[in-house]
Amino acid sequence: MMLILVPSAGAQKSRSHVIGFYNLENLFDTYHDEGKNDYEYLPEGGNQWTEAKYQKKLYNMAHVIAAMKEDNKVWHTILGVSEVENRHVLEDLVAEPEIAEANYQIIHYDGPDRRGVDVALLYKPEIVTIVESKSLPFTFDSENIKFSMTPEEQVEFRTRDILMVHCIIDGEHFAIYVCHLPSRLGGKGQDLRARGGEIIYLHSMEMMKEYPGIKCIVMGDMNDNPVDDSMAVYLHGKGTIDEVGPEDYFSPFLPMFNAGYSSLYYRGEGNIYDCILVNDNLVHCDKGSFKIQPIIKKKYYGRIFSKPFMTNQSGAYVGTPFRTFSGGQFTGGYSDHYPTYIVIKK
């Protein structure tokens, strides 16, 4: 658990906030972290990950964050990120000249993932007051899910922890969950991703009991689409506001997925793994309280942020995210995921 001091009472607080998520696609530094399988991201490793490539990667990630600020006319109040190696790369990122003025602060815990990639949260300290943060471990203690792994395999399994940040924005309590659910590698892991959704859901229900009226936001690379069980069943994600009850989540990217939107592509197929869900307290709430806003065509409550510079303009992968590596070669691109965000407003 980590406690952080409250900012000064005189800090200016906006009544409209951008809250988003971005998978940074393997933001590694050039040094080995003991106990982590990061060897391909070393100068002598498979990716020949040099300081020049690392600096280009940092610049690219900051450039996307700055481009979102240019579009929205305001910095993200909260930005969850995934596929970051350690706190050091986050400190380098927030110090990049294009975004340094945002003064982003960092919440990060070293997790058990064997490759060494973690999730983290960037936040604006003059707006967000941190009450508590913790890293929720992945466990197999479920009454509802039958796992394909043997007990011995479960003991050896390692994946990203879930980051929970309890904070206050303009007098209202929020619980923010940032996750990177287990991989689909080999066509597996549906039960594991379902368990990830269940862990978040059960913890958020406890937070709602302890802090009545708390606004809960779940974000991350789910490695699942919004229609899959991890979100639609275990997180109780609903695609329309009218469906959302006190123990449900509104899943704004579900109708967008059904309409053909994509945040990443795999084997030519579009997906939205980069999802953000909000609980009923951000949907059905009193006037003057924070509420999720429609931001696309006054119809969709989420945005997938893509610009031409972030997208392949030609070749076999035209129209898909312009990533850092392609076919094993460094391309100098951005990420294989587009960032996503929502807007809340009083």
Side-chain angles (χ1 to χ4, degrees):
M1 185 191 308
M2 176 172 63
L3 296 177
I4 301 180
L5 294 177
V6 174
S8 65
Q12 293 296 311
K13 307 216 174 184
S14 169
R15 290 299 174 104
S16 179
H17 302 280
V18 180
I19 296 177
F21 172 79
Y22 194 13
N23 180 324
L24 302 181
E25 193 201 4
N26 295 319
L27 181 56
F28 282 80
D29 60 25
T30 60
Y31 305 98
H32 174 57
D33 282 7
E34 191 64 34
K36 301 298 184 182
N37 184 17
D38 59 359
Y39 296 103
E40 63 181 331
Y41 282 94
L42 297 176
E44 65 276 15
N47 289 327
Q48 299 181 345
W49 193 241
T50 62
E51 184 66 20
K53 290 177 181 176
Y54 174 55
Q55 292 299 326
K56 173 64 171 172
K57 178 71 172 179
L58 289 170
Y59 171 84
N60 284 356
M61 299 296 88
H63 189 57
V64 173
I65 295 169
M68 289 191 283
K69 188 263 185 179
E70 183 178 352
D71 257 32
N72 294 316
K73 310 306 178 190
V74 64
W75 295 105
H76 278 59
T77 296
I78 287 173
L79 179 63
V81 294
S82 70
E83 293 199 18
V84 295
E85 184 182 17
N86 49 39
R87 185 179 180 91
H88 169 237
V89 300
L90 292 165
E91 290 173 345
D92 284 350
L93 174 62
V94 301
E96 278 289 302
E98 269 199 286
I99 65 172
E101 71 172 46
N103 188 33
Y104 280 123
Q105 302 300 297
I106 299 163
I107 300 179
H108 166 265
Y109 293 89
D110 285 314
D113 183 85
R114 294 194 192 280
R115 288 183 61 240
V117 291
D118 302 321
V119 298
L121 191 82
L122 308 181
Y123 70 96
K124 296 279 289 171
E126 67 274 20
I127 300 172
V128 180
T129 301
I130 305 298
V131 178
E132 174 192 13
S133 69
K134 61 175 65 175
S135 195
L136 307 178
F138 185 95
T139 68
F140 289 87
D141 184 20
S142 176
E143 297 178 356
N144 303 307
I145 300 169
K146 183 176 180 180
F147 296 104
S148 59
M149 287 184 178
T150 66
E152 293 76 19
E153 289 172 328
Q154 292 177 21
V155 170
E156 293 299 316
F157 181 69
R158 300 288 184 272
T159 191
R160 282 76 56 175
D161 287 351
I162 297 156
L163 175 61
M164 191 287 297
V165 178
H166 176 196
C167 60
I168 297 173
I169 302 175
D170 203 1
E172 297 190 29
H173 283 264
F174 283 77
I176 314 292
Y177 296 85
V178 187
C179 62
H180 186 181
L181 297 186
S183 171
R184 283 182 168 237
L185 197 63
K188 298 179 180 179
Q190 182 177 354
D191 54 340
L192 304 178
R193 293 186 295 277
R195 175 57 180 156
E198 184 180 56
I199 290 169
I200 297 168
Y201 181 78
L202 293 175
H203 191 278
S204 67
M205 290 299 109
E206 290 300 316
M207 290 294 287
M208 289 169 65
K209 288 179 184 176
E210 186 172 355
Y211 302 94
I214 192 170
K215 315 290 176 101
C216 297
I217 301 175
V218 179
M219 64 174 70
D221 178 353
M222 308 298 185
N223 272 309
D224 267 341
N225 285 306
V227 295
D228 292 321
D229 283 357
S230 58
M231 287 180 281
V233 176
Y234 290 93
L235 264 170
H236 297 236
K238 309 298 183 185
T240 67
I241 282 176
D242 289 344
E243 295 175 89
V244 179
E247 295 185 348
D248 295 321
Y249 274 86
F250 173 46
S251 184
F253 291 94
L254 195 161
M256 296 180 71
F257 173 73
N258 288 335
Y261 287 81
S262 302
S263 66
L264 77 157
Y265 291 79
Y266 180 65
R267 294 182 177 175
E269 182 178 341
N271 302 276
I272 303 181
Y273 292 172
D274 309 274
C275 291
I276 305 172
L277 301 90
V278 302
N279 71 339
D280 186 51
N281 293 329
L282 270 164
V283 175
H284 300 120
C285 51
D286 296 335
K287 187 176 181 180
S289 179
F290 280 119
K291 184 176 184 178
I292 190 171
Q293 302 294 307
I295 53 176
I296 301 294
K297 301 177 181 177
K298 297 185 177 180
K299 175 181 179 182
Y300 296 117
Y301 287 75
R303 182 180 181 190
I304 299 167
F305 184 81
S306 64
K307 293 288 183 179
F309 73 85
M310 301 163 60
T311 304
N312 288 299
Q313 299 298 312
S314 61
Y317 303 107
V318 63
T320 66
F322 179 28
R323 58 186 300 171
T324 307
F325 283 88
S326 181
Q329 300 297 312
F330 180 73
T331 59
Y334 295 79
S335 173
D336 54 347
H337 294 245
Y338 292 130
T340 55
Y341 63 78
I342 62 170
V343 173
I344 62 171
K345 184 178 181 181
K346 281 197 174 185

